[in-house]
C-alpha cells in the first residue's frame, strides 16, 4: 500500500519552514541586508538590494561567459552562443535595475553615503571577474578566424558562408555593447544622485566614469564597421 507523502513538510536540510526557503537559503539571503534599527536612512534597504542583486546577475553573467569560452576552446560554437546570449541578458537586467536608485533623494542619499566607507563600484567582484574573463573570449574568436583564414572584415562580407562564426562575432558585439550601456547607465545614475563634478567615495572623480564609457573590449569588431563602410563606398 502506497504511503501518503506530506508535501507540507520540508525534506531538505537547512534553515526555513519550507524546501523553497531551504533550497534558496532565504534565511541567509534576507539576513544580508541591514535591519531597520541599523539604517541611517530607510533607503539603505533599496541601495543594498540593488547592489546585492546586481552582483548575483554579474556572477551569472561572467560564469556563463567563462563556460562559453571553454566551449569555444573545444570547438563547440552552438552551446557557446546559447550561453553568451544568456550572459548578455544578465547584463541587461543588472543595468535596468539601476533605475531604482533614481528613486532616492539626492540629499537624503548623502546620509547613506557617509556609511559606505571607501566602497566603490570599481570594487565590484562581478565586474572584476568580467574584466578577467572577457579578453579570453575575444582571443577564441580570433583563433577561430585564423583557423579559417578569415579577417573580421572577411567574416562580415562572407557572413552567410560562416553563419555560426558570424553569430559568434555578433554575440561578442552584444556583450561589449551591453557592458558599455551598463557603464553609461551607472555613470548617469551617479551623476544624477551626487553630481558629475565631484569626487566619489574612493577619491575618484565622477567624470572618470564618463571616460570609461569609451572603452571597448573588442575594438577590432567595432573597427570592422568602419572598414566595411569604406569598402562599400569604394564599390
Amino acid at each position: 500500500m502506497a504511503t501518503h507523502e506530506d508535501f507540507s513538510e520540508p525534506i531538505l536540510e537547512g534553515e526555513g519552514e519550507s524546501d523553497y526557503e531551504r533550497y534558496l537559503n532565504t534565511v541567509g539571503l534576507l539576513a544580508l541586508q541591514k535591519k531597520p534599527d541599523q539604517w541611517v536612512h530607510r533607503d539603505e534597504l533599496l541601495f543594498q538590494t540593488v547592489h546585492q542583486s546586481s552582483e548575483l546577475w554579474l556572477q551569472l553573467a561572467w560564469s556563463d561567459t567563462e563556460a562559453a569560452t571553454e566551449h569555444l576552446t573545444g570547438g563547440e560554437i552552438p552551446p557557446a552562443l546559447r550561453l553568451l546570449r544568456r550572459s548578455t541578458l544578465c547584463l541587461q537586467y543588472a543595468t535596468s535595475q539601476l533605475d531604482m536608485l533614481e528613486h532616492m533623494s539626492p540629499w537624503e542619499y548623502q546620509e547613506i553615503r557617509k556609511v559606505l566607507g571607501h566602497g566603490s563600484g570599481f570594487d565590484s567582484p562581478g565586474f572584476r571577474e568580467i574584466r578577467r574573463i572577457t579578453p579570453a573570449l575575444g582571443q577564441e574568436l580570433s583563433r577561430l578566424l585564423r583557423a579559417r583564414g578569415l579577417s573580421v572584415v572577411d567574416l562580415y562580407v562572407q557572413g552567410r558562408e560562416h553563419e555560426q562564426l558570424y553569430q559568434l562575432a555578433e554575440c561578442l558585439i552584444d556583450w561589449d555593447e551591453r557592458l558599455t550601456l551598463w557603464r553609461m547607465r551607472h555613470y548617469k545614475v551617479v551623476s544624477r544622485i551626487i553630481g558629475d563634478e565631484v569626487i566619489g567615495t574612493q577619491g575618484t572623480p565622477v567624470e572618470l566614469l564618463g571616460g570609461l564609457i569609451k572603452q571597448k573590449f573588442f575594438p577590432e569588431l567595432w573597427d570592422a564597421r568602419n572598414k566595411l563602410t569604406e569598402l562599400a563606398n569604394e564599390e
Side-chain angles (χ1 to χ4, degrees), residues 106-223:
W107 178 247
E108 293 172 354
Y109 169 72
Q110 295 297 330
E111 289 300 307
I112 298 174
R113 193 178 183 215
K114 293 174 184 176
V115 298
L116 297 181
H118 295 156
S120 166
F122 286 112
D123 294 327
S124 162
F127 201 67
R128 184 165 58 240
E129 288 299 304
I130 284 174
R131 292 197 302 268
R132 177 183 65 84
I133 58 94
T134 298
L137 183 62
Q139 291 166 11
E140 283 304 312
L141 173 63
S142 296
R143 183 184 63 79
L144 291 169
L145 289 174
R146 287 196 302 272
R148 299 195 189 185
L150 297 171
S151 68
V152 176
V153 171
D154 292 335
L155 174 63
Y156 278 96
V157 171
Q158 306 168 27
R160 301 314 171 187
E161 299 172 32
H162 310 279
E163 186 65 35
Q164 288 188 351
L165 272 181
Y166 171 83
Q167 294 298 332
L168 178 60
E170 286 297 278
C171 275
L172 266 64
I173 276 283
D174 288 341
W175 176 250
D176 208 350
E177 183 176 63
R178 275 292 163 192
L179 288 171
T180 298
L181 290 173
W182 182 82
R183 280 173 159 163
M184 183 183 300
R185 191 71 189 94
H186 182 244
Y187 167 68
K188 294 306 294 183
V189 168
V190 171
S191 298
R192 176 167 171 165
I193 295 175
I194 68 170
D196 59 3
E197 296 180 358
V198 297
I199 302 298
T201 50
Q202 210 170 67
T204 304
V206 170
E207 60 187 326
L208 179 63
L209 291 175
L212 293 175
I213 293 171
K214 298 179 181 179
Q215 289 188 356
K216 301 181 181 73
F217 280 102
F218 310 121
E220 67 281 3
L221 287 176
W222 294 101
D223 188 51

Side-chain angles (χ1 to χ4, degrees), residues 34-92:
K34 285 185 174 183
K35 301 308 178 202
D37 62 349
Q38 299 173 306
W39 295 339
V40 296
H41 188 279
R42 71 176 315 277
D43 280 353
E44 277 197 86
L45 180 58
L46 185 157
F47 189 84
Q48 286 192 313
T49 298
V50 169
H51 286 84
Q52 288 177 352
S53 55
S54 289
E55 289 300 333
L56 290 175
W57 284 121
L58 293 176
Q59 176 178 244
L60 179 56
W62 73 255
S63 178
D64 278 356
T65 300
E66 188 169 51
T69 304
E70 292 172 359
H71 280 300
L72 294 176
T73 300
E76 302 168 335
I77 297 180
L81 293 175
R82 178 178 62 83
L83 289 173
L84 287 172
R85 286 170 180 143
R86 196 165 79 177
S87 299
T88 301
L89 192 56
C90 289
L91 293 179
Q92 184 176 333

Side-chain angles (χ1 to χ4, degrees), residues 12-26:
L12 299 178
E13 296 292 329
E15 293 184 275
E17 298 180 359
S18 68
D19 281 337
Y20 176 91
E21 295 168 282
R22 293 183 179 188
Y23 178 76
L24 293 177
N25 191 18
T26 57

